[in-house]
Amino acid sequence: MSDATASASDAPGALPGDGAPGRAPPLAGVRVLDLSRVLAGPWAGQLLADLGADVIKVERPGAGDDTRSWGPPYLKDAAGRDTGEAAYFLCANRNKRSVTIDMAQPEGQSLVRRLAQQADVLLENFKLGGLKQYGLDYASLSASNPRLVYCSITGFGQDGPYAPRAGYDFLIQGMGGLMSVTGRADGEEGAGPQKVGVALTDIMTGLYATIAVQAALAERERSGRGQHIDLALLDVQIACLANQASNYLAGGVVPRRMGNAHPNIVPYQDFPTADGDMILAIGNDGQFARFCAIAGHPEWAEDARFATNPQRVAHRAVLIPLLRQATVTRTTREWIAALESAGVPCGPINRLDEVFADPQVRARGLRIELPHPQAGTVPLVANPMRLSASPVVYRNAPPQLGQHTDEVLHEWLGLDEAAIAALRRGNVV
């Protein structure tokens, strides 16, 4: 293991039984049919798979999930050649099995219906009504499998005037208000709306979907019946505005972009240093007083304009320039060493190479490596959930397109080699 890399066996909970010999993962025995593509649905499927569910990813023959081609970069083999597996696809499809089925063909639709009859959960993110034409909507499938938990992820939900529209993370970040509070403040150089650097709305929707699916499974234990889960990217984005939405609803003032500053806490933003930048995240008056002492300006903590957080918020325009004049006198490393020893929250602004080289990140095993048939191993980010009795299990790398078609059709549907060969001749799988 290199300094910055943990193998699958070194990551907490990486192997079956780690931390709890003989204990099955929490969702062992749950069968998930994943018809989703790109990120929100696949993210939910990966989380369920990490927790032990058998997740079958249904993909288009010859093409697969759109993100398989969203590169470069691509995973490389031992000789440094591109394998054709885009890094984007790898981030959201660990622990799944891939089956190729052409749902445009009646035989393909029949296969998916039969798989759904054997499933506990179905994930899909087709446009509104997109699966109804194939007889794969909730009403159709629940008629033959009333225990099915059917999770639909769309841009705008199953009803409302926008329901038929396609939804994309970037679009929703704008429509849902996130970009109105992200970016430099009006009047500053580079001001204007800014999206978050990852598809955060998709990720959050995947998290909500995972929670909702598990809640529906728990309800099924009591009622014996599944249900339809309606998740909209727009709903999730607005729900996750958190204090910004609450500030508006309670105070009636529309929040504005503030760069890296915080609307309710000061100082809580980035500051320049002698060799770069750092973050100060001062959450109370005691921390502020300790910072002032270390900065050589204890009088700031006694100044009526700055002594309490409400006063610091009110006089932000006066205080922040004073702090910036002080922070440029030392390097980032010097500031962090001094402030951490005094219990003042602070930190660097790391690039990703620095993130994965960080001693805390290494100690937590956040980089893992799983065996891959083309590349030898594939580097991935570990699941952050740490369960003491039933840890996450890393069973296999993100699958190659159609890698498990034969075994799944045999295991779930009992099809023999001849039946599967006939489906292949008809280009159904």
Side-chain angles (χ1 to χ4, degrees), residues 147 214-227:
R147 290 176 57 82
Q214 292 179 92
L217 290 172
E219 161 62 21
R220 193 181 71 173
E221 288 299 303
R222 292 189 291 268
S223 68
R225 297 189 63 85
Q227 59 184 292

Side-chain angles (χ1 to χ4, degrees), residues 107-308:
E107 285 184 271
Q109 297 158 23
S110 176
L111 277 179
V112 175
R113 279 193 291 271
R114 292 173 63 188
L115 289 169
Q117 289 173 359
Q118 304 299 318
D120 298 289
V121 177
L122 185 146
L123 302 173
E124 64 93 3
N125 60 351
F126 284 73
K127 287 179 66 176
L128 181 68
L131 289 177
K132 187 173 184 178
Q133 61 181 317
Y134 301 137
L136 300 175
D137 56 308
Y138 173 67
S140 299
L141 295 181
S142 63
S144 59
N145 181 5
R147 290 176 57 82
L148 182 66
V149 172
Y150 189 110
C151 180
S152 296
I153 297 173
T154 58
F156 300 97
Q158 299 295 303
D159 53 25
Y162 299 165
R165 296 185 185 179
Y168 296 91
D169 179 277
F170 185 21
L171 173 66
I172 301 300
Q173 286 195 33
M175 291 184 69
L178 184 59
M179 291 174 64
S180 77
V181 295
T182 305
R184 291 189 177 275
D186 291 342
E188 294 184 4
E189 183 180 354
Q194 184 68 52
K195 72 178 181 67
V196 179
V198 296
L200 190 62
T201 307
D202 278 343
I203 297 295
M204 294 186 300
T205 302
L207 293 171
Y208 271 100
T210 305
I211 296 167
V213 163
Q214 292 179 92
L217 290 172
E219 161 62 21
R220 193 181 71 173
E221 288 299 303
R222 292 189 291 268
S223 68
R225 297 189 63 85
Q227 59 184 292
H228 189 200
I229 299 168
D230 171 12
L231 269 172
L233 297 181
L234 181 64
D235 297 357
V236 169
Q237 177 55 76
I238 294 170
C240 290
L241 289 174
N243 62 297
Q244 292 282 28
S246 186
N247 286 350
Y248 166 68
L249 293 174
V253 177
V254 177
R256 301 294 184 184
R257 288 182 295 276
M258 300 178 64
N260 291 325
H262 195 288
N264 307 113
I265 310 172
V266 174
Y268 196 98
Q269 64 185 79
D270 61 309
F271 288 90
T273 66
D275 63 348
D277 299 276
M278 69 169 178
I279 290 173
L280 283 179
I282 292 176
N284 60 52
D285 299 337
Q287 292 172 357
F288 180 69
R290 294 196 295 276
F291 167 80
C292 294
I294 292 170
H297 291 279
E299 71 277 7
W300 290 343
E302 302 298 325
D303 191 313
R305 298 171 297 173
F306 312 140
T308 66

Side-chain angles (χ1 to χ4, degrees), residues 288-423:
F288 180 69
R290 294 196 295 276
F291 167 80
C292 294
I294 292 170
H297 291 279
E299 71 277 7
W300 290 343
E302 302 298 325
D303 191 313
R305 298 171 297 173
F306 312 140
T308 66
N309 182 68
Q311 288 301 310
R312 291 193 294 276
V313 171
H315 296 93
R316 166 197 315 265
V318 177
L319 177 59
I320 296 303
L322 295 175
L323 299 183
R324 288 181 177 277
Q325 292 173 16
T327 59
V328 295
T329 62
R330 304 185 200 180
T331 67
T332 299
R333 185 183 296 272
E334 289 169 342
W335 274 116
I336 291 174
L339 295 174
E340 282 189 343
S341 66
V344 178
C346 63
I349 301 173
N350 287 332
R351 303 184 309 266
L352 286 188
D353 57 337
E354 296 168 321
V355 169
F356 286 103
D358 187 280
Q360 178 67 18
V361 174
R362 295 201 306 266
R364 297 286 287 178
L366 285 169
R367 172 173 172 161
I368 62 173
E369 305 250 354
L370 295 179
H372 189 276
Q374 283 183 283
T377 60
V378 55
L380 299 168
V381 179
N383 189 310
M385 293 185 287
R386 306 299 172 95
L387 287 76
S388 63
S390 53
V392 165
V393 176
Y394 301 109
R395 299 185 300 280
N396 49 270
Q400 295 179 287
L401 180 61
Q403 180 179 345
H404 306 98
T405 299
D406 290 20
E407 69 181 44
V408 169
L409 293 181
H410 176 69
E411 288 177 19
W412 280 40
L413 303 183
L415 299 186
D416 59 21
E417 291 182 8
I420 296 171
L423 291 170

